[in-house]
């Protein structure tokens, strides 16, 4: 329902924004702007419906990035026009023009700032005490890197430099490491061989939208262990990695890529109660099943914390747990805002992050 309402608002904005600009600025007709807006936004949605964002075509990648910024410009200008709709009635033509130009400049500035802000990342820190932990363990949690049309060598090199500077015991790439066939180049993934720490990876939903076998081979060939419904013991903790899946059969999942569920898959993985268990799953769903299985810590991403306004508000209606720390019985869930971006190449109201998790013994 939320997606349908959002789509209807976008369609309405295609008519409304040019119509309002015609009334505020000395424009003779609104339809040329309406037609241009329809073509640009229609092209952006075509990129998604047809899956062009995951292709190896550089023209498609450029269109995906440029049209995403145009789309957000339209969103912000639409919101601005709605806010000033009634106040503008009481203004003189001169001040209406000033107001309209201010709205255009403000919308452009928000997009420009969001784009610039998306080019960097921060290191966030979380500290947690675990039962049965024998010594301190540091985990660098990196979901949603999204190597592809928006992230390539330069950004990945910066991430790897940060990893080696921190020198954690374990690095976890928790899904959506890559989102486009344009990134499936051996020389790009060979950069992961520079990482000094142990590296582990689980699948997100985006790896299913592209050449999955090739992506998994490039990942596995470059010092990254792939955890698919599998547990590995390292540094005296049990890492359990699950593919991207729904919480259970009743879970309404718009990104469903298989029929697997946490409710069914997690109990199949045997583990020792003498060591702490860490569940790695891309999407922050199924916390109740992790708690039922006495998982100590669950790590997720996927939501990007909304990535940019107004999604930072809308995400709360899609994911009850969308960012930060949550608990259910013995289990703590940590959700990262993600290391990259998808869709509009922007961050507004959130920041890309590498999440450093410091685990210490409870006693």
């Amino acid at each position: 329902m939320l997606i349908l309402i959002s789509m209807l608002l976008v369609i309405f904005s295609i008519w409304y924004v040019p119509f309002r600009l015609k009334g505020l600025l000395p424009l003779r007709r609104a339809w040329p702007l309406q037609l241009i807006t329809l073509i640009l936004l229609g092209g952006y949605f075509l990129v998604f419906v047809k899956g062009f964002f995951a292709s190896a075509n550089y023209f498609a990648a450029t269109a995906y990035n440029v049209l995403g910024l145009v789309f957000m410009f339209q969103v912000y200008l639409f919101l601005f026009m709605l806010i000033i709709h009634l106040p503008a009635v009481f203004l003189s033509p001169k001040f209406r023009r000033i107001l309209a130009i201010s709205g255009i400049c403000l919308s452009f500035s928000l997009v420009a700032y969001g784009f610039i802000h998306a080019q960097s990342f921060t290191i966030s820190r979380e500290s947690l005490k675990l039962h049965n932990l024998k010594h301190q363990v540091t985990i660098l949690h990196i979901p949603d890197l999204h190597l592809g049309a928006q992230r390539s060598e330069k950004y990945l090199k910066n991430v790897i430099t940060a990893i080696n500077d921190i020198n954690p015991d374990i690095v976890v790439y928790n899904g959506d490491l890559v989102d486009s066939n344009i990134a499936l180049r051996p020389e790009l993934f060979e950069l992961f061989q520079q990482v000094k720490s142990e590296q582990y990876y689980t699948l997100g939903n985006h790896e299913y939208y592209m050449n999955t076998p090739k992506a998994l081979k490039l990942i596995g060939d470059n010092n990254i262990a792939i955890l698919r419904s599998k547990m590995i013991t390292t540094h005296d903790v049990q890492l359990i990695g699950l593919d991207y899946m729904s919480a259970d059969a009743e879970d309404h999942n718009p990104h469903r890529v298989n029929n697997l569920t946490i409710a069914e898959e997690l109990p199949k993985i045997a583990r020792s109660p003498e060591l702490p268990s860490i569940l790695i799953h891309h999407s922050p769903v199924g916390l109740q099943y992790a708690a039922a299985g006495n998982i100590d810590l669950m790590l997720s991403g996927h939501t990007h914390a909304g990535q940019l306004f107004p999604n930072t508000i809308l995400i709360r209606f899609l994911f009850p747990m969308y960012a930060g720390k949550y608990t259910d019985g013995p289990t703590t869930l940590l959700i990262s805002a993600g290391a990259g971006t998808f869709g509009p190449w922007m961050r507004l109201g959130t920041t890309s992050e590498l999440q450093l998790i410091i685990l210490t013994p409870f006693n």
Side-chain angles (χ1 to χ4, degrees), residues 46-349:
L46 184 65
V47 166
F48 282 96
V49 172
K50 295 297 184 181
F52 294 147
F53 65 85
S55 75
N57 185 290
Y58 281 92
F59 175 79
T62 302
Y64 158 63
N65 288 327
V66 172
L67 292 178
L69 299 178
V70 172
F71 171 70
M72 290 313 302
F73 174 81
Q74 170 75 5
V75 169
Y76 296 140
L77 188 56
F78 174 53
L79 293 175
F80 182 85
M81 291 299 171
L82 287 177
I83 293 171
I84 68 164
H85 188 102
L86 287 179
V89 174
F90 303 99
L91 298 177
S92 67
K94 177 182 178 181
F95 282 102
R96 289 179 187 176
R97 288 194 295 271
I98 293 174
L99 200 59
I101 294 172
S102 298
I104 292 171
C105 293
L106 175 62
S107 300
F108 179 83
S109 298
L110 289 173
V111 172
Y113 171 79
F115 174 76
I116 294 170
H117 186 49
Q119 307 311 309
S120 60
F121 58 85
T122 61
I123 311 296
S124 67
R125 286 170 170 79
E126 293 282 352
S127 297
L128 196 65
K129 293 181 180 294
L130 295 188
H131 289 286
N132 298 324
L133 188 65
K134 300 176 181 178
H135 51 80
Q136 178 175 295
V137 178
T138 54
I139 299 176
L140 195 58
H141 182 215
I142 310 177
D144 302 291
L145 186 54
H146 285 279
L147 294 174
Q150 296 178 352
R151 308 294 174 184
S152 193
E153 286 93 346
K154 181 179 179 181
Y155 195 78
L156 180 56
K157 286 178 179 178
N158 290 338
V159 169
I160 290 175
T161 297
I163 293 173
N164 287 333
D165 287 344
I166 296 169
N167 193 27
D169 298 309
I170 299 168
V171 179
V172 173
Y173 305 105
N174 192 357
D176 291 359
L177 176 61
V178 57
D179 69 13
S180 171
N181 289 311
I182 204 170
L184 298 184
R185 297 175 286 111
E187 60 272 20
L188 177 63
F189 283 81
E190 286 170 1
L191 293 174
F192 287 103
Q193 296 183 22
Q194 300 174 13
V195 174
K196 303 169 186 177
S197 307
E198 294 180 17
Q199 301 180 91
Y200 299 92
Y201 160 81
T202 59
L203 275 83
N205 53 303
H206 276 272
E207 281 88 358
Y208 286 92
Y209 305 152
M210 47 185 294
N211 189 335
T212 308
K214 185 174 182 180
L216 292 178
K217 185 176 189 310
L218 286 170
I219 293 168
D221 286 348
N222 288 284
N223 296 340
I224 304 175
I226 301 175
L227 302 180
R228 307 190 66 180
S229 294
K230 179 181 178 182
M231 186 191 79
I232 186 168
T233 301
T234 180
H235 296 279
D236 293 321
V237 297
Q238 299 173 119
L239 294 182
I240 303 165
L242 296 179
D243 282 10
Y244 179 88
M245 60 184 70
S246 301
D248 50 42
E250 288 72 42
D251 183 14
H252 176 65
N253 184 355
H255 300 123
R256 188 183 296 272
V257 294
N258 54 43
N259 294 319
L260 300 174
T261 67
I262 296 175
E264 294 180 350
E265 293 300 310
L266 185 56
K268 296 178 183 178
I269 302 174
R271 49 195 179 272
S272 169
E274 303 300 321
L275 294 175
S277 298
I278 300 174
L279 175 62
I280 306 163
H281 183 253
H282 180 63
S283 181
V285 298
L287 176 59
Q288 68 272 35
Y289 301 111
N294 292 312
I295 297 294
D296 295 279
L297 173 63
M298 179 175 175
L299 302 179
S300 296
H302 185 57
T303 66
H304 295 213
Q307 187 169 310
L308 72 170
F309 178 83
N311 289 349
T312 49
I313 296 174
L314 300 178
I315 193 68
R316 303 161 194 256
F317 298 98
L318 295 175
F319 291 92
M321 298 174 289
Y322 67 94
K325 181 187 295 186
Y326 304 84
T327 58
D328 185 343
T331 307
T332 298
L333 167 63
L334 295 178
I335 306 174
S336 169
T341 49
F342 177 74
W345 196 353
M346 294 172 56
R347 284 274 186 180
L348 192 62

